[in-house]
Amino acid sequence: MNSETKTDAAVYPPSADFAASAHVDADRYAELYKASIEDPEGFWAEEAKRIDWIKPFSTVKDVNFDLGNVSIKWFEEGTLNVAANCIDRHLETRGDQTAIIWEPDEPNDEAQHITYRQLHRSVCKMANILEDMGVRKGDRVVIYLPMIPEAAYAMLACARIGAIHSVVFAGFSPDALGARINGCDAKVVITADFAPRGGKKTALKSNTDKALLHCKDTVKCLMVRRTGEQTTWVDGRDHDYNELAIEADDHSAPVEVGAEDPLFILYTSGSTGQPKGVVHSSGGYLVYTAMTHQMTFDYHEGDIYWCGADVGWVTGHSYILYGPLANGATTLMFEGVPTYPDAGRFWQIVAKHGVNQFYTAPTALRALMGQGNEWVEKHDLSSLKVLGTVGEPINPEAWNWYYKVVGKEKCPIVDTWWQTETGGHLLTPLPGATPLKPGSATKPFFGVQPVVLDPHTGQEIAETKAEGVLCLKDSWPAQMRTVWGDHERFEKTYFSDYKGYYFSGDGCRRDADGDYWITGRVDDVINVSGHRMGTAEIESALVAHEKVAEAAVVGYPHEIKGQGIYAYVTLMSGQEPSEDLRKELEQFVRSEIGPIAKPDLIQWAPGLPKTRSGKIMRRILRKIAEDDYGSLGDTSTLADPSVVDDLIEHRMNRK
Ligand code: WT7
């Protein structure tokens, strides 16, 4: 298809200047990658020195991917404490350095600069409060907090006492929260009175009260005061963090845990069924997130690093908290949203704090791109050195906008492909080493062995140029270890379709240079008249049109073609839908990809149904496209459930 040749054509090699001071340049990447594959044990034994072990490990790796016997273990017999690695060991050298910059929702409220020493005190206090509430090593604690420093304290306090945290995004409903508290049988839930975000407020304590109606009555609640407003209170069950923290001891001995002891559980949705509790380890996870944070973002001593995700997602775990703090970095935490009070907020924060590395999602970029360049241009972004994206394939238009308008063509863009399940980056450019291609996650990280399998035969495609499903041939230290309470489901989900491999659920293409292009979840692949097509490819074509802000494409049953192409299109602000524009877009996609990709139906969508992490809920779009909106399932986790009503009302395919 001609889009392939077009997008493959643009290549941006690293500048000599950047490469000269980078942790990894092209030669080093080649050399280290080779070593990591030829001698994984030697390679990872060396990398494991990044963290402080209490007792050394004796086995580097003990992994079996065979269905029925799947077992993943790294650094066995080694013991450590994750919080001590993220805090205590930095106290001597950087006790007064800022660990966390906290930027509140309201730009006029004061930001906080929390030093490593202050972080240590607060985490110790929280650890003692939790212990007083009865939490012990191995117990589960659910964290349902806004993006406030106490979220970091809570996670690290759990790690300090060897408890397993399960963070639930503050946008989730009481039902979802309750299901997760029950799912991991938590002893304590930590919440706040309210969560301010984008000028609005969510009543977290009241949500928690509702959730707890469906939980064991032994579950206790620890509440942080964020706004100080009145809340309900259940004596005996509810505990006041701010009050307890005044008296709590600010010393707490870090508890020794095994490398394979779980650090956290994070619930994530699969393509079907109930959310799975993804379980991550302590040792391997920390080694891998520390290493990827340093190398992918080329983080250097003194840099100000900002990942705009929420701690409710794995990105927040690995790249706001654990990776950066293990490296002694300064990490920024932002309570708000990119468009509040205006579309310049991200860039205002970058300028205000002198951010050097910035990491966000393509969906945020597309939203901001639609608002015009002036929001970017009025802020001084000269501190930026590296820009990152994660979460979905980035369309070349958004990539180019990020590269040119935000990065002024001097900041490499790292398009990081990974998953909740992988714990850290698996495919990503390294900014001083890898030639960039807009839309490609490029090359594997050290120790990562991606393979492209033929989905029908399950065989590895040996040729460099390949298209198929993306699997991983061997383990990496941050791989998830199991599904909480259901190891069988773990094996079935990831190791049963393609025997002997970890199956990512993504489709991909590998080009002649060996660069990987994620084509989207394989369940999003549609088949039109016998042609396989990535919905992402058509979306990319649609958003390439100057009047289109965002697009989502799904398949729907079509009498002649098998599946037809149904496109939901959100126009740039100020653009009006019209029949002429519809024809123009159809024609545009025909010319971008080919006649086969021309949408059969285009629906003008004022908004798309997204989860609060910005992922488009295709399940819902497919149902509406199939005129089967009576069985939409649970829409409570959507950022804005009302968009669904509009989509149903104006649906195009009425049977
Ligand atoms: C799925 C994982 C990893 C943190 C955020 C999402 C898609 C993720 C990319 C990328 C293309 C991407 C994949 C993957 N994805 N990053 N750079 N390019 N697709 O975590 O919710 O577990 O989702 O997100 O489809 O399987 P997640």
Side-chain angles (χ1 to χ4, degrees), residues 314-315 390-393 415-421 506 518 521 615:
V314 74
T315 311
V390 58
E392 53 178 318
D415 176 354
T416 61
W417 176 83
W418 59 298
Q419 311 175 294
T420 305
E421 294 89 335
D506 280 326
I518 305 298
R521 303 292 301 193
K615 207 173 282 302

Side-chain angles (χ1 to χ4, degrees), residues 176-247:
L177 174 63
R180 285 156 176 78
I181 294 171
N182 291 333
C184 69
D185 195 13
K187 263 196 176 167
V188 169
V189 52
I190 307 178
T191 190
D193 45 8
F194 291 87
R197 198 157 177 264
K200 301 189 192 112
K201 256 185 303 189
T202 310
L204 291 188
K205 175 58 165 61
S206 140
N207 282 355
T208 306
D209 288 340
K210 288 182 197 138
L212 286 176
L213 292 176
H214 308 287
C215 302
K216 288 203 268 194
D217 53 16
T218 49
V219 181
K220 292 180 180 154
C221 173
L222 179 65
M223 190 190 84
V224 177
R225 296 190 186 276
R226 166 62 183 95
T227 67
E229 286 156 286
Q230 190 76 36
T231 65
T232 51
W233 200 257
V234 178
D235 282 328
R237 185 196 71 180
D238 296 345
H239 294 64
D240 185 325
Y241 163 81
N242 298 69
E243 214 165 82
L244 293 170
I246 300 170
E247 297 291 323

